[in-house]
């Protein structure tokens, strides 16, 4: 399985980037982080449409698409691991996680996603979503492999 994390905004020297890198380094799956910016001065609606086009264009062909959105489905860590495990068993080779910018994801990206996932009922800054997602991917791996990192 290959994982793409497709994001609006660049982390640059953000402290959360080190935490993200730590968890990604622990994963057995290859992870590609692609960051995009809509640099032109645009209205919020135009910016979201431009960001949606950038994210959509980066999704690998045939990938399972997971849109991260506060209005999405909240899963327990075990349920998330089961979902990943099912995709692996189905032979789904690529999973793409979409993280929007300050205005969130365009409706079309959410509508087209295989799963709209909420990491919390709270709203998180998009730069913090990366390490939160990376930790949950690592936790899912440990659950699937029977490692004691995750305890009920």
């Amino acid at each position: 399985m290959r994982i793409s994390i497709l994001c609006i905004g660049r982390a640059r020297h953000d402290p959360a980037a080190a935490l993200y890198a730590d968890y990604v380094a622990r994963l057995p799956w290859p992870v590609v982080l692609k960051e995009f910016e809509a640099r032109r001065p645009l209205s919020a609606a135009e910016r979201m449409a431009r960001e949606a086009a950038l994210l959509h264009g980066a999704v690998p062909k045939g990938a399972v698409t997971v849109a991260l959105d506060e209005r999405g489905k909240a899963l327990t860590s075990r349920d998330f691991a089961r979902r990943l495990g099912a995709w692996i068993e189905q032979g789904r080779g690529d999973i793409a996680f979409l993280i929007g910018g300050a205005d969130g994801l365009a409706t079309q990206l959410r509508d087209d996603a295989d799963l709209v996932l909420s990491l919390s009922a709270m709203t998180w800054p998009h730069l913090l979503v990366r390490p939160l997602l990376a930790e949950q991917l690592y936790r899912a791996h440990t659950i699937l492999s029977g490692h004691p990192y995750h305890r009920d």
Side-chain angles (χ1 to χ4, degrees), residues 14-38:
D14 188 85
L19 186 58
Y20 165 84
D22 179 57
Y23 281 111
V24 167
R26 300 179 192 190
L27 290 171
W29 311 302
V31 178
V32 173
L33 173 68
K34 293 184 181 178
E35 299 174 312
F36 303 95
E37 290 181 301

Side-chain angles (χ1 to χ4, degrees), residues 76-88:
T76 67
S77 294
R78 286 206 178 275
D79 289 339
F80 181 62
R82 280 189 206 86
R83 187 73 61 110
L84 284 176
W87 290 327
I88 292 168

